[in-house]
Amino acid sequence: MNLTLSLSRAIAVFPEREAVVDGQFAATYQQLGERVSALCHALLGMNVVTGEVVGIIAPNGHEFLEAYYACAVLGLVLNPINFRLSAREIGGILEDSDARILVAHTDFTNLVVDSIAQPFALKLKEIVWFGSGQRTQLEACAHDYENLIAGNAGKQLPECAVEGSDLAHLYYTSGTTGKSKGVMLTQENVTFHALASVAELSLTDSDTWAHIGPMFHLLDAWAVFACTWAGARHTFAPYFKADEVLLLIEQQKVTITALVPTMLNAMLNEPDIEKRDLTSLRLLLTAGSPIAPEVVKKAVNIFGCDYWQFYGMTETSPFLTISKPKAHMANWSTDRLLNVVSRTGRTFIGVELKIVRPDGSEVEHNDRDVGEIIVRGPSVTQGYWRQPAATANAIENGWLHTGDLAVIDEEGYVNIVDRKKDMIITGGENVYSTEVEYVLYEHPSIVECAVFGIPDDQWGETVKAVVVPKPGVKISEGELIAFVKERLASYKAPRSIEFAEELPKTGSGKIYKKGLREKYWQSLERQVH
Amino acid sequence: MNLTLSLSRAIAVFPEREAVVDGQFAATYQQLGERVSALCHALLGMNVVTGEVVGIIAPNGHEFLEAYYACAVLGLVLNPINFRLSAREIGGILEDSDARILVAHTDFTNLVVDSIAQPFALKLKEIVWFGSGQRTQLEACAHDYENLIAGNAGKQLPECAVEGSDLAHLYYTSGTTGKSKGVMLTQENVTFHALASVAELSLTDSDTWAHIGPMFHLLDAWAVFACTWAGARHTFAPYFKADEVLLLIEQQKVTITALVPTMLNAMLNEPDIEKRDLTSLRLLLTAGSPIAPEVVKKAVNIFGCDYWQFYGMTETSPFLTISKPKAHMANWSTDRLLNVVSRTGRTFIGVELKIVRPDGSEVEHNDRDVGEIIVRGPSVTQGYWRQPAATANAIENGWLHTGDLAVIDEEGYVNIVDRKKDMIITGGENVYSTEVEYVLYEHPSIVECAVFGIPDDQWGETVKAVVVPKPGVKISEGELIAFVKERLASYKAPRSIEFAEELPKTGSGKIYKKGLREKYWQSLERQVH
């Protein structure tokens, strides 16, 4: 089993179907196959060996898709790099992965140069540049992406002799949970997940997918393989800009895409949204972090299409649940269905999922008992690149421990209440940050918010919120705290609220809670040590 | 990767959904899981060892489904036995497979007794009986299926420690192509195929599948796993009877099923068909042998639902193509679409398929050049049980040679023109039997027909037809030959036509051409030797 199955079938069954539209660039599946083939031969010309790591740092675009496939065909391990990381972090990744080849867009020339200048022992020998920006002379041999494609045109796709157990991707997890680790995904992990996604989402050759979430992240990258397999069409937003994304959906008649809630929120707050014809959308997905029911309500009203939530992680290729309703819910009221789709979701096809107490027993399906989500299945990672201790820590008896705390209802729909590490314990009471955030999102003046615990001598921790109000709107700390207390137990309400113009985000666009929390905890550490 | 994934998800996500309705018997997925669990523990009580073969001989029903799953969970190899075989053939299979346990329905008590009485070295030690018929005292230890279930009630489903590469099924191929061989299918073969089927057919928890084709055959058995995974409902026709099957569709509101063309033909010729409400059907599939476009036309008119053709073989779990139209064909005329769905179909998701000339090069996509279909992919068998020579003969460089001759059109839709062994060479000209059969099916008086070559001193072979006319209708040989000659080149028309009341069928219900042909070739052999 390997990823090439998806490309070879698209070429065989949908050769004339438009595969890719990327600004002025367009290609059928036949043509995409030819470009992937040329890129394969270019890489073979650099004497690549099965299993070696190829880095890529680039915005969303057809070259990213081509790189995913060329590496898959040759059995190379693609390592997509988060371009929001610092040069030092990227240097660390390049050292850890042993990448000899880097595919890089000129938007990141300086970042690449600075990464290489870091005091790491890099094996980097070849850089394949694309983009119209400036390229800097470096010690590594420079290639031009399009020259390589042109120079290897007309060659047959190399015979794929890749096994399911061969490594396909190396994703370094974003910094929300400590030191960056390389998540290893095999060809089988990703292939199986792609097929499962075609099944769960009924992807077909009438679909057009918009790559809006960054392709270096699994929020979006799984769709490279799933949508190709189904013969769907790929379109791209190089970077997330709410107004441009809305225009892309209109112009390319996008039928389906996946966003992080912060992106969806930004789009819903975009004044232009009313002007756009978004009727082509059949299904809008969000993933990456829990979403406030209030935001779902707004989205369903404005987009007028189906909305489902996904939950997953890099370690699981990524999806573990989906909030797709069941057949027998067809005649439920809109409000009741809205509650279903706003949940984290039910088990994704191909996954085994349990919510367990610390002693390993499963919690009741009563929507109240909180446990940790543990999972297993063909799309779950074998572990972390060269980190056996981290692997052993995450995977116990074949079950991956997600670190996410959740409840499950009698229909089997999971709802995440918090990251294990984000749960606040104040005066001996557990407070789940999402619950407080959801209430804040109900306030009409709030664009974004984050709730977390800060150290407190008396209570251990107290609840803190950072809130982004709508531009030009004034709200007081007291008013907001009162708003929460009207809706939740007093101890769950923030003790203090900070106002900000924006919140820090991770590479995939999620709110970076760790960054917000750090300053409070650092001062504590200084106090303690 | 293993088949238990499909059951455990159905139990987790659809516990209250009706899983099985079989006459008076009904069970939710929760209850089905409990019965499978009990059967597992019953088998463990017989000291089963991973990898050992369990035979089953039974009509369609929930027990068959339970046996498929119990063996899958325990890593046992289920060997479904064709109950239309002779006692001698079944004895041969039981010897070849080394089965120690046999699950048997009392409809086949005599057949089981006679099989065991054959001069083979059997390892059979335990027989699990079900059904209300008579049971005969045998040397092997007799168990009662329902007693075993009751005696092991309330036990947890055993932890499944089965790998994708473990053997799951052993299907002995029906006798159309020489000595019976045990086709080995792994857990990965069947699991991957099930997921691919959910994707291609958009199976969901709103579907009801009717097991009409025999569950000992892959025409139907794949649906055990695919439909369970999707949370669909299983209903059963114990044996194929056209009138009863039509009633089942009406009463159980069946949404989807797969038939062999001979079954469909029988249903279309059933006088009761007009009385039945068949509106629940959303998709009718046929597979197992090519279908005359004339029959498809009739079926689409009468059933009023989508119709797609499947092509596959036991060695490939089974499906290789599907005649599902592409998105851009949505505005094609009914007639043009009818031509598409009447073809053998385009490559099934997860399969790699080529049509090659004897030198291995691919034929043009011009719907004219004939080549052999070769395939590869995760659902393709590793080979035949204890028959390395047969395996090496069928699989070359990783590609399984199907022995089916086909053309392919510019949209990538394959059409099978004949079995390699069935192609007729008359006076140096190739005649593909299906082409002649399709023309005969256009004649309003014909119910069924088969065309094959018979030995001829002058021409090498000549074209022979055996025809079943409608009851009470008289047609002459000359009239039918003239009918064909008006539509095809003269050399393709039958030289002689035999009339029959029915045609012999294989275990899955396909027309048994080899049986028809034998008498002509046997007389030749007598002449020659």
Side-chain angles (χ1 to χ4, degrees):
Chain A
M1 185 181 315
N2 58 55
L3 288 165
T4 306
L5 282 171
S6 58
L7 181 65
S8 62
R9 176 172 179 271
I11 298 168
V13 177
F14 305 106
E16 301 303 319
R17 160 84 167 144
E18 197 166 57
V20 164
V21 182
D22 184 8
Q24 297 303 303
F25 178 91
T28 63
Y29 271 109
Q30 178 71 44
Q31 291 163 339
L32 175 67
E34 286 161 9
R35 288 180 58 90
V36 170
S37 176
L39 184 56
C40 283
H41 287 281
L43 290 166
L44 288 171
M46 296 176 203
N47 301 314
V48 289
V49 195
T50 306
E52 84 167 78
V53 176
V54 174
I56 182 167
I57 184 161
N60 288 359
H62 65 92
E63 298 91 347
F64 214 134
L65 191 147
E66 290 158 12
Y68 265 113
Y69 267 115
C71 289
V73 170
L74 296 175
L76 308 178
V77 184
L78 191 68
N79 170 216
I81 295 170
N82 177 351
F83 51 67
R84 294 210 187 83
L85 296 178
S86 68
R88 191 180 167 81
E89 287 168 309
I90 294 174
I93 287 173
L94 290 172
E95 183 187 54
D96 191 61
S97 75
D98 279 347
R100 187 174 61 90
I101 300 172
L102 178 69
V103 179
H105 190 279
T106 52
D107 281 2
F108 307 108
T109 302
N110 291 339
L111 192 55
V112 169
V113 171
D114 293 350
S115 306
I116 295 174
Q118 297 295 316
F120 291 110
L122 303 194
K123 303 223 168 101
L124 207 63
K125 290 283 176 292
E126 324 260 358
I127 302 185
V128 180
W129 289 104
F130 67 108
S132 56
Q134 222 194 319
R135 300 169 189 191
T136 301
Q137 187 76 35
L138 290 163
E139 211 180 305
C141 179
H143 305 269
D144 177 76
Y145 189 94
E146 286 302 327
N147 280 350
L148 289 178
I149 298 281
N152 289 279
K155 295 183 183 168
Q156 289 273 323
L157 198 67
E159 190 64 16
C160 174
V162 174
E163 302 282 328
S165 55
D166 290 342
L167 213 53
H169 301 136
L170 202 52
Y171 288 99
Y172 283 80
T173 52
S174 61
T176 50
T177 54
K179 188 188 176 304
S180 188
K181 298 186 288 281
V183 176
M184 303 189 291
L185 295 177
T186 62
Q187 294 259 345
E188 178 174 321
N189 289 154
V190 186
T191 306
F192 184 88
H193 183 279
L195 186 57
S197 304
V198 176
E200 279 284 21
L201 302 175
S202 302
L203 293 172
T204 72
D205 58 325
S206 63
D207 277 314
T208 293
W209 178 269
H211 294 278
I212 296 171
M215 290 172 73
F216 64 72
H217 192 279
L218 274 172
L219 167 72
D220 183 85
W222 62 273
V224 165
F225 304 103
C227 291
T228 297
W229 220 342
R233 194 163 153 266
H234 299 268
T235 63
F236 305 86
Y239 302 99
F240 178 78
K241 283 176 191 156
D243 54 344
E244 290 177 10
V245 163
L246 289 166
L247 197 63
L248 177 78
I249 294 172
E250 177 178 74
Q251 289 182 335
Q252 292 301 334
K253 300 197 192 311
V254 170
T255 63
I256 177 168
T257 192
L259 306 167
V260 281
T262 48
M263 290 175 181
L264 178 59
N265 208 16
M267 284 159 71
L268 292 172
N269 284 299
E270 174 62 38
D272 269 9
I273 193 163
E274 304 283 354
K275 291 190 220 149
R276 296 286 153 239
D277 176 0
L278 305 170
T279 50
S280 60
L281 268 181
R282 71 168 177 91
L283 179 56
L284 187 65
L285 305 160
T286 67
S289 51
I291 189 166
E294 205 55 30
V295 178
V296 172
K297 212 166 168 177
K298 240 170 120 178
V300 168
N301 282 337
I302 289 191
F303 286 98
C305 65
D306 280 338
Y307 164 84
W308 300 339
Q309 190 179 166
F310 269 138
Y311 154 66
M313 50 200 303
T314 304
E315 285 83 345
T316 58
S317 302
F319 294 124
L320 296 170
T321 72
I322 183 169
S323 71
K324 187 174 165 180
K326 297 185 193 174
H328 74 88
M329 298 173 178
N331 54 2
W332 283 16
S333 71
T334 313
D335 273 0
R336 206 170 162 200
L337 269 179
L338 214 58
N339 277 335
V340 172
V341 299
S342 301
R343 295 182 72 89
T344 306
R346 58 179 171 76
T347 305
F348 203 66
I349 199 164
V351 170
E352 281 186 284
L353 181 147
K354 294 200 282 194
I355 302 184
V356 295
R357 303 188 184 95
D359 67 2
S361 63
E362 286 190 65
V363 302
E364 298 298 315
H365 288 216
N366 59 9
D367 210 17
R368 278 197 321 273
D369 296 358
V370 174
E372 183 181 3
I373 299 175
I374 67 172
V375 295
R376 154 175 106 160
S379 55
V380 176
T381 184
Q382 303 288 312
Y384 301 103
W385 176 255
R386 297 175 180 170
Q387 296 205 36
T391 301
N393 193 37
I395 304 173
E396 282 176 44
N397 299 321
W399 291 84
L400 177 77
H401 288 245
T402 65
D404 289 310
L405 299 178
V407 294
I408 183 165
D409 68 13
E410 55 184 11
E411 286 283 4
Y413 285 75
V414 170
N415 213 23
I416 292 182
V417 294
D418 219 335
R419 289 283 304 161
K420 214 168 168 178
K421 290 176 183 163
D422 287 351
M423 191 183 74
I424 306 157
I425 307 180
T426 177
E429 297 278 5
N430 293 350
V431 177
Y432 303 110
S433 58
T434 54
E435 190 183 16
V436 186
E437 285 160 5
Y438 291 172
V439 167
L440 285 170
Y441 274 108
E442 286 179 36
H443 195 284
S445 307
I446 289 184
V447 174
E448 248 174 25
C449 66
V451 168
F452 50 90
I454 59 171
D456 184 272
D457 285 343
Q458 187 181 357
W459 303 102
E461 290 179 275
T462 58
V463 181
K464 172 88 186 177
V466 181
V467 162
V468 179
K470 282 199 176 153
V473 175
K474 294 232 165 186
I475 13 171
S476 74
E477 186 180 17
E479 183 191 338
L480 272 183
I481 293 176
F483 182 84
V484 176
K485 284 189 174 170
E486 278 167 31
R487 289 159 176 84
L488 292 177
S490 263
Y491 70 90
K492 296 182 182 175
R495 270 305 169 89
S496 61
I497 294 181
E498 200 178 304
F499 293 92
E501 275 180 34
E502 59 177 343
L503 299 181
K505 307 276 159 61
T506 68
S508 61
K510 294 193 260 185
I511 293 169
Y512 184 47
K513 244 182 219 188
K514 193 177 163 236
L516 282 167
R517 197 169 31 202
E518 249 162 17
K519 67 173 176 181
Y520 301 95
W521 288 91
Q522 272 168 2
S523 61
L524 176 73
E525 276 173 27
R526 276 197 298 274
Q527 279 185 313
V528 173
H529 301 302
Chain B
M1 184 181 314
N2 58 56
L3 287 164
T4 306
L5 282 171
S6 57
L7 181 64
S8 62
R9 176 173 178 272
I11 298 168
V13 178
F14 304 107
E16 299 303 319
R17 159 87 167 140
E18 196 166 58
V20 164
V21 182
D22 184 8
Q24 298 303 305
F25 177 89
T28 64
Y29 271 110
Q30 178 70 44
Q31 291 163 338
L32 176 66
E34 286 162 7
R35 288 180 59 90
V36 170
S37 176
L39 184 55
C40 283
H41 287 281
L43 290 165
L44 288 171
M46 298 176 203
N47 300 314
V48 290
V49 194
T50 307
E52 85 166 79
V53 176
V54 174
I56 181 168
I57 183 160
N60 289 358
H62 65 93
E63 297 92 347
F64 214 134
L65 191 146
E66 290 158 12
Y68 265 114
Y69 268 115
C71 288
V73 169
L74 296 175
L76 308 178
V77 184
L78 191 68
N79 169 214
I81 296 170
N82 177 350
F83 51 67
R84 294 211 186 80
L85 295 179
S86 68
R88 192 182 168 82
E89 287 167 310
I90 293 174
I93 287 173
L94 289 173
E95 181 187 54
D96 191 60
S97 74
D98 279 346
R100 187 173 61 91
I101 300 172
L102 178 69
V103 179
H105 190 278
T106 51
D107 282 2
F108 308 108
T109 301
N110 290 340
L111 192 56
V112 168
V113 171
D114 293 350
S115 306
I116 294 174
Q118 297 295 316
F120 292 110
L122 304 193
K123 303 224 168 100
L124 206 60
K125 291 283 176 289
E126 324 259 358
I127 302 184
V128 180
W129 289 104
F130 67 107
S132 55
Q134 221 194 320
R135 300 169 189 190
T136 300
Q137 187 77 34
L138 289 163
E139 210 179 309
C141 179
H143 306 268
D144 177 76
Y145 190 92
E146 287 301 329
N147 279 352
L148 288 179
I149 297 280
N152 288 279
K155 295 184 184 168
Q156 288 273 322
L157 198 67
E159 189 64 16
C160 174
V162 174
E163 303 282 327
S165 55
D166 290 342
L167 214 53
H169 303 137
L170 202 54
Y171 288 99
Y172 283 80
T173 53
S174 61
T176 50
T177 55
K179 186 188 175 308
S180 188
K181 298 187 287 282
V183 176
M184 301 188 291
L185 294 177
T186 62
Q187 293 259 344
E188 177 173 323
N189 289 155
V190 186
T191 307
F192 185 88
H193 183 278
L195 187 56
S197 304
V198 176
E200 280 284 21
L201 303 175
S202 303
L203 293 172
T204 71
D205 57 325
S206 62
D207 278 313
T208 293
W209 178 270
H211 293 278
I212 297 171
M215 289 172 74
F216 64 70
H217 191 278
L218 274 172
L219 167 72
D220 182 84
W222 63 273
V224 165
F225 304 103
C227 291
T228 297
W229 220 342
R233 194 162 153 267
H234 299 267
T235 63
F236 307 85
Y239 302 99
F240 178 78
K241 283 177 192 154
D243 54 343
E244 290 177 9
V245 163
L246 289 166
L247 197 63
L248 178 77
I249 294 173
E250 177 179 74
Q251 289 182 334
Q252 292 301 333
K253 299 198 192 314
V254 171
T255 63
I256 177 167
T257 192
L259 306 166
V260 283
T262 48
M263 290 176 181
L264 177 59
N265 208 17
M267 284 159 72
L268 292 172
N269 284 300
E270 174 61 39
D272 269 8
I273 193 163
E274 305 282 355
K275 291 189 221 149
R276 297 285 154 241
D277 176 359
L278 305 170
T279 49
S280 59
L281 267 182
R282 69 168 178 92
L283 179 57
L284 187 65
L285 306 160
T286 68
S289 52
I291 187 165
E294 205 54 31
V295 178
V296 172
K297 210 164 167 177
K298 240 170 118 178
V300 168
N301 282 336
I302 289 190
F303 287 97
C305 65
D306 280 338
Y307 163 84
W308 300 339
Q309 190 179 166
F310 270 137
Y311 154 65
M313 52 202 301
T314 305
E315 285 83 345
T316 59
S317 303
F319 294 123
L320 296 169
T321 73
I322 183 168
S323 71
K324 186 175 165 180
K326 297 184 192 174
H328 75 88
M329 297 173 179
N331 53 3
W332 283 17
S333 70
T334 311
D335 273 1
R336 207 172 162 198
L337 270 179
L338 214 57
N339 278 334
V340 172
V341 298
S342 301
R343 295 182 72 88
T344 307
R346 59 178 171 75
T347 305
F348 202 67
I349 199 163
V351 170
E352 280 186 285
L353 180 149
K354 294 200 282 194
I355 301 183
V356 296
R357 303 186 183 94
D359 68 2
S361 62
E362 285 190 64
V363 303
E364 299 297 316
H365 289 214
N366 60 9
D367 210 16
R368 277 196 321 274
D369 297 358
V370 175
E372 183 182 2
I373 299 175
I374 66 171
V375 295
R376 145 176 112 161
S379 54
V380 176
T381 182
Q382 303 288 312
Y384 301 102
W385 175 255
R386 297 176 180 167
Q387 296 206 36
T391 302
N393 194 38
I395 303 173
E396 283 176 42
N397 299 321
W399 290 85
L400 176 78
H401 289 246
T402 65
D404 288 311
L405 299 177
V407 294
I408 183 166
D409 69 12
E410 53 184 12
E411 287 281 7
Y413 285 75
V414 170
N415 213 23
I416 292 183
V417 294
D418 220 335
R419 288 282 307 163
K420 214 169 168 178
K421 290 176 181 162
D422 286 350
M423 191 183 73
I424 306 157
I425 306 180
T426 177
E429 297 277 6
N430 293 351
V431 177
Y432 302 110
S433 58
T434 55
E435 190 183 16
V436 186
E437 285 160 5
Y438 290 172
V439 167
L440 286 169
Y441 274 108
E442 287 178 36
H443 196 284
S445 307
I446 288 184
V447 175
E448 248 175 23
C449 67
V451 168
F452 49 92
I454 59 172
D456 184 273
D457 285 343
Q458 187 181 355
W459 303 102
E461 291 178 275
T462 58
V463 181
K464 173 87 185 177
V466 181
V467 162
V468 179
K470 283 199 175 153
V473 174
K474 294 234 162 182
I475 13 170
S476 75
E477 184 178 19
E479 183 191 336
L480 271 184
I481 293 176
F483 183 84
V484 176
K485 282 188 175 169
E486 279 167 33
R487 289 160 177 84
L488 292 177
S490 263
Y491 70 89
K492 296 182 181 175
R495 267 311 168 87
S496 62
I497 294 181
E498 201 178 305
F499 293 92
E501 274 180 36
E502 60 175 341
L503 300 180
K505 306 278 159 59
T506 68
S508 62
K510 295 193 262 185
I511 293 170
Y512 184 49
K513 244 182 221 190
K514 195 177 161 237
L516 283 167
R517 198 169 32 203
E518 249 162 17
K519 67 173 176 182
Y520 301 95
W521 290 91
Q522 272 167 3
S523 61
L524 176 74
E525 275 173 26
R526 276 197 297 273
Q527 279 184 317
V528 174
H529 301 301

